[in-house]
Amino acid sequence: MRIGVSVVSKKRVLLGVTGGVAAYKVVELARVLTQDGVDVQTVMTKAACRFIGPVTFQSLTGNPVYTDLWETNAACDMAHINLSRGANMILVAPASANFIAKLANGLADDLLSTLCIARDCSLMIAPAMNRQMWQNPAMQRNLLLLRQDGVKIIGPASGEQACGEIGMGRMLEASELVEAVQIFIQADTLLRGKNILVTAGPTYEAIDAVRGITNNSSGKMGYAVAKAALEMGAKVTLISGPTCLLSPAVDKFISVVSAEEMLRAVQAEVSQADIFISVAAVADYRAASISQQKLKKSTNKLSVELIPNPDILMAVSTLPNAPFCIGFAAETEDLEKNAAAKRNRKKLPLLVANLAQDAIGSDENELILLDDDGKHVLPKAAKIEQARRLMKHIYLLYNKKFKKNEKY
Ligand code: C5P
């Protein structure tokens, strides 16, 4: 019987196998993925080799199987880093309790854990263990940490276990794993050929030669959105206000300071864009006049006249040939009500709302997506993970609008 969905070619999956009875299911996973044209590179822990022989994976995938950090590094220079380069993802299945604890705490004492910590691709794990181990508070703590780090956890399911007990902890079946992997690696190309314009970070509005007004935005969410769009194959232009972040490897990075500069940069780029995602926290006001010299301190009151900045998103969303526009709203109160009003006012197919006090500067947030179908909550997770979920949602809405019947 053939398991799986559509054929995927030229994708590379690094398959990590740790010690658990469920390793037998992963043999079938390796076979089906290989048959579907996926290049499967297997790395096994010592304990995994007690359950299944490396030769089995080697025969089914046609690739050598790596098991030992030291031997492997001798045979292949820096294998603990290089094996994951070029991989679309790492899947660890089964992921044992011990391996999950190591991952959550950043340990790197064997080849697989070292590869995971040195990866530059996504990591998915399929836990498999006894129900008591699964429920153990330390295990749940570790899982929480991994989720926050953006690791995708699939399963486990509930059912009869190898030990004879019944409960949560059974690894997903091979067919379910195949489907999860295929959906994940297909996502890499979902936005190929699309130009995505992203604004990120704060703007800084000068008052005099050394002072100005700005806001607390770190730029983390906008940069994560740019990265997630890149991961899905899009061409990304990132226009950013001042941040302390390293830009992801976008196709074009434009650094700006003020809202007016950001507007000009957006106007110069927007005709190329299929999708515009306005994540920037643009300052709503700027000084009516900027003093070229530093204003001198005195004991008198000082008034600064502020005038409204242009609304960049509105300027784009009301263009006759507007790209597909997505806005963000950071609110401190009445989140949904304010966000829904903003979506209407700016005529947006999708508005992403979050609580300012939770999101600003933080590495994680909860998002509420408001679109024509209503509200979708993305529960709290690392910003990069939220950005990936958001981009998949944007992809679906975009395709719906342009009547392409695709699924991710
Ligand atoms: O109106 P408000 O600032 O609350 O709307 C937030 C959304 O509008 C964000 O997507 C932000 O990037 C965008 N915005 C903008 N130009 C402004 C103010 C906000 O593009 N001047």
Side-chain angles (χ1 to χ4, degrees), residues 6-272:
S6 63
V7 172
V8 179
S9 59
K10 303 275 177 274
K11 294 288 184 178
R12 190 153 175 258
V13 171
L14 197 144
L15 175 63
V17 188
T18 75
V21 186
Y24 78 91
K25 296 184 189 175
V26 178
V27 171
E28 179 63 356
L29 166 84
R31 188 185 71 77
V32 175
L33 286 179
T34 306
Q35 239 181 22
D36 273 356
V38 179
D39 185 22
V40 179
Q41 174 65 71
T42 315
V43 174
M44 301 175 74
T45 63
K46 265 207 176 77
C49 298
R50 296 207 164 230
F51 290 89
I52 304 280
V55 177
T56 308
F57 285 107
Q58 189 156 328
S59 315
L60 291 171
T61 64
N63 283 325
V65 172
Y66 297 104
T67 56
D68 188 294
L69 181 61
W70 306 111
E71 265 178 32
T72 314
N73 269 333
C76 157
D77 198 22
M78 304 294 267
H80 67 288
I81 292 168
N82 288 331
L83 281 177
S84 76
R85 296 293 179 263
N88 296 88
M89 65 178 296
I90 299 179
L91 168 69
V92 179
S96 65
N98 179 56
F99 195 77
I100 287 172
K102 288 206 297 188
L103 265 186
N105 291 286
L107 294 189
D109 63 352
D110 63 4
L111 180 59
L112 185 56
S113 53
T114 311
L115 277 165
C116 286
I117 206 173
R119 75 185 183 278
D120 64 355
C121 58
S122 301
L123 174 61
M124 187 187 273
I125 62 170
M129 66 199 69
N130 165 271
R131 67 185 173 91
Q132 299 281 28
M133 292 166 88
W134 176 254
Q135 281 160 9
N136 185 284
M139 170 57 58
Q140 292 303 317
R141 251 193 332 267
N142 289 334
L143 291 165
L144 193 66
L145 285 176
L146 289 178
R147 274 195 199 97
Q148 285 168 357
D149 290 346
V151 175
K152 194 161 172 49
I153 301 165
I154 50 167
S158 181
E160 192 169 340
Q161 308 204 302
C163 53
E165 294 181 12
I166 293 175
M168 197 73 176
R170 249 181 92 95
M171 192 180 76
L172 297 187
E173 298 304 317
S175 58
E176 295 169 304
L177 294 182
V178 168
E179 193 169 310
V181 168
Q182 288 187 323
I183 287 170
F184 198 84
I185 58 183
Q186 275 170 10
D188 278 354
T189 54
L190 288 178
L191 289 171
R192 181 153 298 156
K194 295 285 166 257
N195 289 310
I196 299 193
L197 180 60
V198 182
T199 63
T203 64
Y204 174 87
E205 313 297 331
I207 293 174
D208 69 10
V210 294
R211 305 185 186 92
I213 46 176
T214 186
N215 58 51
N216 255 340
S217 166
S218 64
K220 286 177 185 168
M221 192 64 212
Y223 281 51
V225 166
K227 183 165 192 287
L230 283 175
E231 285 174 357
M232 290 171 76
K235 271 187 85 174
V236 179
T237 297
L238 175 60
I239 300 176
S240 174
T243 75
C244 300
L245 304 174
L246 268 182
S247 168
V250 289
D251 297 276
K252 194 166 182 186
F253 179 82
I254 303 172
S255 169
V256 296
V257 176
S258 67
E260 284 191 303
E261 263 187 75
M262 186 174 274
L263 175 66
R264 280 197 294 276
V266 167
Q267 283 170 334
E269 297 297 322
V270 75
S271 63
Q272 310 290 319

Side-chain angles (χ1 to χ4, degrees), residues 199 278-280 282-284 309-313 327-328 342 345-346:
T199 63
S278 181
V279 195
V282 184
D284 292 323
N309 262 330
D311 190 309
I312 303 169
L313 177 55
F328 269 68
K342 205 162 284 183
R345 197 170 62 246
K346 303 203 184 195

